Amino acid sequence: MEIIDQAIILLHSKLGESSAITTILTRNNGIIKGRLGNYYTRRDKGSIQPGNIVTIKWRARLSSQLGNITINDILKNNSHIIYQPLKLNLLNCLLSLLCNNLLENDPCFDIFQASHKLLEILADNNFTDKQKLLANYILFEVKLLNELGFGMQINKCIICGRPDKLVYISPKTGNAACLEHGYDYRDKLLTLPQFIVNNQFGNDILNDNNI
């Protein structure tokens, strides 16, 4: 069996003296793990670090086996992020979420696209506004929760059904409440950031008009 796909490198785990078990998120095939030969002795190891975007070939006799991964091309080298502490922290959070919450061999195209967009923002040296960086990361988490089946209902008030003046959200149910009906319960509710309301479920990249 063979898979050729675009992928985001998530994790390298040591295997033997020089090889690694590499975890990647592919565009069309979800999370895939495979043996990457001679990873720890490669001269180009810096270009295939977690967070980089590559094209890969994965090959195994059966789909249930741990196959071999070959890196064909480096599409985006994001290694410069390590020199920017906030972006590096957000990158590590992104990779950790993907590794720990997605099932292996379960296609998740929308999550790949959202991850790819967030990586583009983190890799952009001109994108330095801390508030916008954090807002984009939060929108990614909202998108991920929605794709995993834990979406928040933030398009209307859970009590009266009105779609405006949504300022609270329940930490237990993920449902939004308007100012009028949520005020008396404000001590038990969280403030709902307006950039989340204006950018429903993180479907689009956050822009200046959403903040």
Side-chain angles (χ1 to χ4, degrees):
M1 181 178 180
E2 184 176 278
I3 294 173
I4 298 175
D5 207 346
Q6 186 179 137
I8 299 169
I9 299 175
L10 303 182
L11 178 68
H12 296 299
S13 301
K14 194 170 180 62
L15 178 66
E17 293 185 0
S18 60
S19 299
I21 295 178
T22 298
T23 304
I24 55 178
L25 173 61
T26 62
R27 181 183 182 92
N28 300 304
N29 297 276
I31 293 284
I32 291 178
K33 294 182 179 180
R35 175 185 172 275
L36 183 61
N38 300 317
Y39 167 71
Y40 290 97
T41 58
R42 295 174 66 128
R43 292 185 177 180
D44 64 341
K45 186 170 64 174
S47 64
I48 53 175
Q49 291 300 304
N52 289 355
I53 302 170
V54 297
T55 57
I56 60 95
K57 178 190 289 184
W58 179 93
R59 179 179 290 178
R61 189 170 64 86
L62 300 173
S63 60
S64 58
Q65 292 180 326
L66 180 67
N68 290 303
I69 290 178
T70 302
I71 306 294
N72 292 334
D73 294 297
I74 311 298
L75 300 181
K76 184 70 175 179
N77 187 338
N78 296 322
S79 58
H80 60 280
I81 293 176
I82 66 173
Y83 300 108
Q84 303 173 68
L86 175 59
K87 290 186 175 183
L88 179 59
N89 286 333
L90 294 179
L91 173 62
N92 288 333
C93 289
L94 166 65
L95 301 179
S96 178
L97 281 176
L98 296 174
C99 280
N100 294 312
N101 291 284
L102 301 181
L103 297 176
E104 198 169 342
N105 300 318
D106 183 22
C108 47
F109 176 78
D110 288 342
I111 294 177
F112 177 88
Q113 289 292 89
S115 302
H116 193 288
K117 289 179 179 179
L118 182 57
L119 281 172
E120 287 181 342
I121 290 174
L122 295 179
D124 186 351
N125 289 326
N126 294 319
F127 203 116
T128 57
D129 188 294
K130 292 183 178 180
Q131 182 182 17
K132 293 179 182 179
L133 284 169
L134 291 170
N136 273 281
Y137 176 76
I138 291 170
L139 286 174
F140 170 80
E141 286 199 350
V142 172
K143 173 70 173 178
L144 181 62
L145 284 171
N146 185 52
E147 292 294 327
L148 294 177
F150 300 98
M152 300 185 295
Q153 182 176 310
I154 56 176
N155 60 332
K156 64 180 180 180
C157 175
I158 190 61
I159 301 172
C160 66
R162 67 184 299 172
D164 59 339
K165 296 184 179 180
L166 302 174
V167 296
Y168 300 111
I169 187 167
S170 169
K172 292 184 178 180
T173 65
N175 294 323
C178 65
L179 178 62
E180 179 182 355
H181 290 91
Y183 185 79
D184 291 340
Y185 306 96
R186 62 189 182 280
D187 293 338
K188 298 180 180 180
L189 301 174
L190 300 175
T191 300
L192 178 61
Q194 290 305 296
F195 71 84
I196 294 181
V197 177
N198 297 333
N199 200 82
Q200 295 285 313
F201 297 119
N203 288 327
D204 302 305
I205 279 294
L206 186 66
N207 55 53
D208 293 343
N209 297 325
N210 295 124
I211 297 182

